Amino acid sequence: MISRIASFHNYQSVSNDLMRQQVKLQDNQDQLATGKRVLTSGDDPVSSIYIQNFRQQDKQLDQYIDSITLARNRQTRAEIAIDDAEQLIDSAKRKSMEMINGSLSDDDRTAHRQDLKGLYDNFMNLVNAKDESGNFLFSGTQSSKQPFYRDSALNVRYAGDSYHRTAQVAPAVEVQTSDPGDQVFMEIKNPFGDYQPEYELQDGSLLLMSQATNTNNADASSYAVNFNVDSNGQTQYELEQNGAIVSSGVFDPQTGIQFGTLSVTFEGEMMDGDRIVLDRQDTFNVFDAFKNGIDLSRESIFNASATAELHQVTEQFSAAFKHLNKARSEVGTRLTTLDRQESMHRDFKLVLNRSLGTMEDLDYSTAVIDMNENLLALQASQQAFSKTKELTLFNYI
């Protein structure tokens, strides 16, 4: 039995074959044009899955690097502001020490007071500094709100909050990107221990309190120490607790005054009638140190109490300098962490790109050979079809 093949079926079969050859050739040309071996998931289903995962990881790394850049810019600006604040604090400390000098004239003290005011003004500008985006550096999480306000009496109020911002710079790594201003400038450890002294000294007294500590944190009593010199020339003390005398005796400079959980030591030379009031205070703020220094500069150089309080201001500036130095070190540690994480991300990106290139990039020599083979196959099919389509029985009749 002789089967007959319709001319339409023959043409359709050949046309489909030519189309497949053209598609292969077009794929070869697209690969050569893009330099990529895998253009669609159909080219290599297994490789396309890995390629998609690699690209997602690469985009995630780019987001982390952008986050690191923003965090670094903000922390660098904060580090500069804190460093400048340290220098102003150090200058204020030196001005306060110079004002203790009894040889200064009233005009000299006035000049030092003006200098201290200028330092205070510059310091206020620093604590209200902004980053490159216009956000306040030391307002906690309320970056759009000015953190510190100063009134006409030179008292300062904090308007920010006590929280900090963080930035995720790796899947399991978050870095602090801000510091609340109250912790940086207003919660500085008291250099005198647990109490701040308030001096009521006689003229010529050189008495200073060194330390006053109380291991009982629940003790909120108010204390005061009175010194008297008896007829034998011995220095006697009386310790008051909430206005009542609770301890008295001969003062021993080696041991100071011990009462229960309270321990107080002194230095310098005391006069008959000297009195020191102890107010419980674990921390202080540097703004009060500036204000007190300016106020005390108006007092006479012969005022022993004012001189003692200037010593206190000097110690507070010294403690503030150390506190800011520690804060700047913490910022430096964060910057180091950011640099380390960015370096790790960029190294991982290189590994990802290398792996991506292994699966995705085109081997040009192999691709050119495949294209030439497909081109020859297409041309051969076209020539064969051109010759066979004109063959009919009528050519032999």
Side-chain angles (χ1 to χ4, degrees):
M1 178 177 172
I2 300 175
S3 299
R4 295 184 300 170
I5 301 176
S7 296
F8 173 77
H9 179 76
N10 182 46
Y11 272 93
Q12 187 66 38
S13 177
V14 174
S15 176
N16 290 340
D17 182 63
L18 290 175
M19 184 63 69
R20 285 192 294 271
Q21 294 293 338
Q22 289 175 344
V23 169
K24 289 182 179 180
L25 184 61
Q26 184 63 46
D27 289 342
N28 292 139
Q29 292 173 341
D30 290 342
Q31 288 177 338
L32 288 170
T34 60
K36 304 298 182 183
R37 179 180 66 86
V38 181
L39 298 176
T40 64
S41 59
D43 296 335
D44 190 338
V46 176
S47 296
S48 65
I49 295 176
Y50 284 103
I51 290 171
Q52 184 178 8
N53 290 336
F54 288 158
R55 286 176 176 170
Q56 288 178 346
Q57 291 186 61
D58 190 64
K59 288 181 180 180
Q60 183 66 65
L61 290 174
D62 287 337
Q63 292 177 356
Y64 286 142
I65 291 174
D66 291 341
S67 180
I68 288 172
T69 300
L70 292 175
R72 181 191 291 112
N73 292 342
R74 185 177 180 85
Q75 287 294 276
T76 300
R77 181 70 184 91
E79 182 183 34
I80 294 173
I82 294 175
D83 180 63
D84 290 342
E86 281 184 63
Q87 305 310 313
L88 291 177
I89 291 291
D90 186 58
S91 297
K93 172 188 172 182
R94 287 187 279 106
K95 288 295 178 184
S96 300
M97 292 179 64
E98 291 171 2
M99 285 191 291
I100 296 173
N101 189 345
S103 63
L104 290 182
S105 65
D106 291 340
D107 290 340
D108 292 333
R109 277 216 170 189
T110 300
H112 280 65
R113 180 169 63 251
Q114 295 301 324
D115 290 342
L116 195 57
K117 282 184 177 179
L119 293 173
Y120 195 12
D121 292 339
N122 291 332
F123 190 80
M124 289 301 301
N125 289 331
L126 283 176
V127 298
N128 287 321
K130 298 180 180 180
D131 62 15
E132 72 282 357
S133 300
N135 297 316
F136 289 98
L137 294 173
F138 302 111
S139 57
T141 60
Q142 303 182 32
S143 57
S144 61
K145 182 182 293 185
Q146 180 177 321
F148 295 99
Y149 291 87
R150 185 176 58 173
D151 60 24
S152 58
L154 302 184
N155 295 309
V156 173
R157 179 177 60 87
Y158 179 61
D161 58 35
S162 299
Y163 304 100
H164 60 260
R165 294 191 171 200
T166 60
Q168 187 167 1
V169 297
V173 180
E174 286 190 353
V175 175
Q176 182 176 330
T177 61
S178 68
D179 290 280
D182 57 346
Q183 295 180 13
V184 177
F185 304 108
M186 305 186 77
E187 297 179 5
I188 304 172
K189 187 176 180 180
N190 183 2
F192 300 101
D194 300 319
Y195 295 86
Q196 286 282 15
E198 181 179 341
Y199 294 95
E200 299 175 11
L201 306 181
Q202 302 300 311
D203 291 343
S205 175
L206 300 176
L207 178 62
L208 296 173
M209 188 188 79
S210 298
Q211 283 284 312
T213 59
N214 194 332
T215 56
N216 181 8
N217 294 327
D219 185 1
S221 301
S222 175
Y223 291 95
V225 180
N226 301 306
F227 292 98
N228 298 286
V229 179
D230 62 19
S231 58
N232 296 323
Q234 286 188 323
T235 302
Q236 304 283 333
Y237 78 89
E238 291 180 345
L239 177 66
E240 298 177 7
Q241 182 182 29
N242 296 327
I245 297 175
V246 294
S247 178
S248 63
V250 177
F251 175 71
D252 184 356
Q254 298 298 323
T255 60
I257 298 176
Q258 308 293 325
F259 174 73
T261 57
L262 177 68
S263 176
V264 189
T265 57
F266 303 89
E267 61 182 278
E269 299 177 4
M270 58 197 65
M271 302 285 290
D272 182 42
D274 283 349
R275 175 182 172 87
I276 298 179
V277 177
L278 305 180
D279 294 321
R280 186 90 192 216
Q281 187 174 335
D282 299 330
T283 62
F284 73 96
N285 75 71
V286 70
F287 304 104
D288 285 345
F290 271 108
K291 178 181 181 299
N292 293 337
I294 293 171
D295 291 341
L296 291 169
S297 66
R298 296 185 173 92
E299 300 292 336
S300 169
I301 59 175
F302 302 108
N303 187 330
S305 297
T307 301
E309 289 177 5
L310 273 175
H311 278 285
Q312 178 181 339
V313 168
T314 301
E315 291 298 324
Q316 289 178 336
F317 278 135
S318 180
F321 181 88
K322 294 176 183 177
H323 180 81
L324 291 179
N325 186 265
K326 180 181 178 182
R328 184 163 60 89
S329 297
E330 292 175 355
V331 174
T333 300
R334 294 175 209 153
L335 287 171
T336 301
T337 300
L338 293 173
D339 291 341
R340 186 184 302 114
Q341 286 295 328
E342 182 179 19
S343 179
M344 293 171 62
H345 290 332
R346 294 196 181 279
D347 289 343
F348 191 30
K349 278 177 65 71
L350 290 176
V351 174
L352 282 178
N353 291 331
R354 191 179 299 115
S355 301
L356 184 63
T358 302
M359 291 191 170
E360 186 182 41
D361 289 351
L362 182 67
D363 183 349
Y364 279 92
S365 59
T366 302
V368 170
I369 293 174
D370 289 342
M371 187 184 72
N372 289 334
E373 290 179 350
N374 291 330
L375 180 60
L376 290 174
L378 176 62
Q379 291 173 346
S381 297
Q382 289 173 339
Q383 291 175 359
F385 178 65
S386 176
K387 291 181 179 180
T388 57
K389 73 177 182 178
E390 298 178 356
L391 292 178
T392 66
L393 293 175
F394 293 102
N395 294 333
Y396 300 95
I397 296 176

